[in-house]
Amino acid sequence: MKKILVIGSTGQIGTELSMRLRSIYGENNVVCGYYAPPYPEGFFEAGPTAYIDAQQINPIADTVRKYNIDTIYNLAAILSATAEKNPKLGWEVGVGGLMNCLDVAREYKCGLFTPSSIGAFGPDTPKDHTPQDTIQRPNTIYGITKVLGELVSDYYFKHWQVDTRSVRYPGLISNVALPGGGTTDYAVEIFYKAVKGEVFECPIQAGTFMDMMYMPDALDAAINLMEANPARLVHRNAFNITAMSFDPEMLYNEIKKYYPDFQMVYNIHPLKQHIADSWPNHLDDTCAREEWDWQSHYNLESMTKDMIDKLKRKLL
Ligand code: NAD
Ligand code: AKB
């Protein structure tokens, strides 16, 4: 049975990934690293936990030793829009935290999953059918940390056989924990407003397409990649994956099928728009499909239906 440490386990992905990992590998075999509130309800009772600041190597190494950890999911990061306001912090958590995880993984022979992002691409990248291997010249600190993370993770694999694996996540849509300060957060926030019967102020212009994915598919991607046969992996850090691509109008029109009176007005957030404009419209995820059988299950229609069903139960 695997022994897993999730760093940054209380964020948008970590909250649900930890629950999923515990349901597969057993609650006592997944240690949830926490750093700052809010903590999910029942967090400290659900299984082992450890305070971990990814910027400090000792707590990571101590936890790995204490629990005989063999796999680390490193989710600590400062997301794109927030990192642009505090680039030094974005760098220290994104790069410093990853370097600590890599060194611990090397010493204790752990597998390491650290997500990359569509933010690893930039304005010079081909926007449509963005290839797996292409130009990566991002113009955000977040993107720079992601490109560096991909390269240094491949370096640790090639030089020291550290089993590093990663995906370039699109914007993730979910209904458990709120997103943590990214450019794609609007695609979650719009659902909360629709279900509560409030007007949504959209920070991203009509016509701005970005890749998106529903959380259940994102969890499958992380776990299936970490379970994949290493002999089949030509790439490692990081695989393009996607599930859908839409602009705010497409999402709004889909939600209006359930809430015909729902109103959206545009109040463009210049920073988020600038970042969104630099990201691809739609990735080509052929390599992930070929090398570890990646496939998504939710499209815009099925994701919207499920989001509304779940949020109605949560909010009303
Ligand atoms: P989030 O902001 O919701 O959660 C990040 C977590 O990291 C939080 O629990 C926070 O407390 C923790 N953290 C912050 N500083 C820390 C530190 N110094 N030490 C330890 N923990 C610290 O982010 P998320 O959406 O869950 O993203 C997880 C990973 O996935 C990140 O690498 C992110 O870049 C990547 N990603 C997310 C998305 C998305 O849409 N959510 C898309 C692409 C990539
Ligand atoms: C963000 O918008 O910063 C994240 C991401 C796509 O990496 N959601």
Side-chain angles (χ1 to χ4, degrees):
M1 189 55 85
K2 275 189 188 299
K3 291 275 189 182
I4 296 170
L5 170 62
V6 184
I7 298 175
S9 76
T10 62
Q12 188 192 6
I13 301 177
T15 299
E16 294 191 58
L17 182 63
S18 306
M19 290 192 287
R20 177 78 81 81
L21 290 169
R22 281 182 168 156
S23 75
I24 298 171
Y25 301 106
E27 59 196 27
N28 288 321
N29 293 320
V30 179
V31 181
C32 287
Y34 62 94
Y35 175 67
Y39 305 122
E41 206 182 316
F43 175 75
F44 293 101
E45 291 77 42
T49 60
Y51 174 80
I52 291 183
D53 176 356
Q55 296 172 85
Q56 309 293 327
I57 194 165
N58 289 341
I60 306 175
D62 292 347
T63 309
V64 164
R65 259 196 317 274
K66 178 174 172 188
Y67 291 97
N68 286 318
I69 297 295
D70 54 49
T71 307
I72 303 172
Y73 287 80
N74 166 33
L75 307 178
I78 307 299
L79 295 197
S80 57
T82 310
E84 236 21 50
K85 292 185 213 139
N86 192 343
K88 195 164 182 316
L89 181 66
W91 179 265
E92 284 168 357
V93 178
V95 177
L98 171 59
M99 293 307 295
N100 288 334
C101 291
L102 283 166
D103 285 333
V104 171
R106 181 183 171 200
E107 184 169 355
Y108 295 96
K109 305 202 179 331
C110 300
L112 177 61
F113 176 83
T114 306
S116 185
S117 160
I118 50 172
F121 296 115
D124 306 324
T125 303
K127 277 205 165 293
D128 293 305
H129 309 292
T130 305
Q132 171 67 37
D133 300 311
T134 186
I135 300 165
Q136 289 183 266
R137 303 281 297 175
N139 56 8
T140 61
I141 194 72
Y142 179 70
I144 293 167
T145 67
K146 292 302 183 193
V147 175
L148 189 139
E150 294 184 8
L151 294 175
V152 75
S153 297
D154 272 348
Y155 184 92
Y156 270 62
F157 170 66
K158 283 182 190 137
H159 286 261
W160 296 305
Q161 295 75 53
V162 180
D163 188 3
T164 53
R165 307 181 188 193
S166 176
V167 295
R168 295 178 182 135
Y169 275 134
L172 300 183
I173 299 161
S174 67
N175 48 60
V176 181
L178 288 169
T183 304
T184 58
D185 294 9
Y186 90 88
V188 178
E189 290 157 358
I190 189 172
F191 282 99
Y192 280 76
K193 292 291 187 186
V195 173
K196 288 198 257 180
E198 297 171 5
V199 177
F200 178 59
E201 286 190 24
C202 185
I204 300 292
Q205 252 162 22
T208 309
F209 282 78
M210 286 183 275
D211 286 283
M212 300 279 177
M213 183 178 293
Y214 197 30
M215 188 60 83
D217 282 332
L219 304 183
D220 283 349
I223 295 166
N224 292 347
L225 176 58
M226 290 311 280
E227 290 284 0
N229 176 356
R232 287 182 62 198
L233 300 182
V234 179
H235 297 84
R236 276 181 171 263
N237 302 282
F239 284 93
N240 281 4
I241 54 169
T242 187
M244 59 193 99
S245 169
F246 55 71
D247 82 326
E249 287 292 309
M250 284 174 70
L251 181 56
Y252 174 58
N253 287 325
E254 192 59 35
I255 295 172
K256 268 177 71 99
K257 291 181 185 166
Y258 300 83
Y259 296 100
D261 297 332
F262 178 44
Q263 284 181 44
M264 176 170 86
V265 295
Y266 286 96
N267 183 6
I268 304 309
H269 188 292
L271 171 62
K272 290 186 179 182
Q273 185 63 47
H274 176 70
I275 297 173
D277 286 339
S278 76
W279 289 356
N281 295 336
H282 200 189
L283 304 187
D284 176 348
D285 59 7
T286 307
C287 290
R289 291 173 187 275
E290 288 178 355
E291 293 175 35
W292 48 280
D293 306 322
W294 155 250
Q295 62 175 85
S296 60
H297 295 96
Y298 286 88
N299 58 19
L300 176 58
E301 291 75 20
S302 52
M303 175 275 291
T304 300
K305 180 178 182 323
D306 201 62
M307 274 295 282
I308 290 173
D309 286 349
K310 299 262 164 54
L311 283 180
K312 274 185 5 212
R313 268 180 260 155
K314 176 172 168 170
L315 300 175
L316 303 182

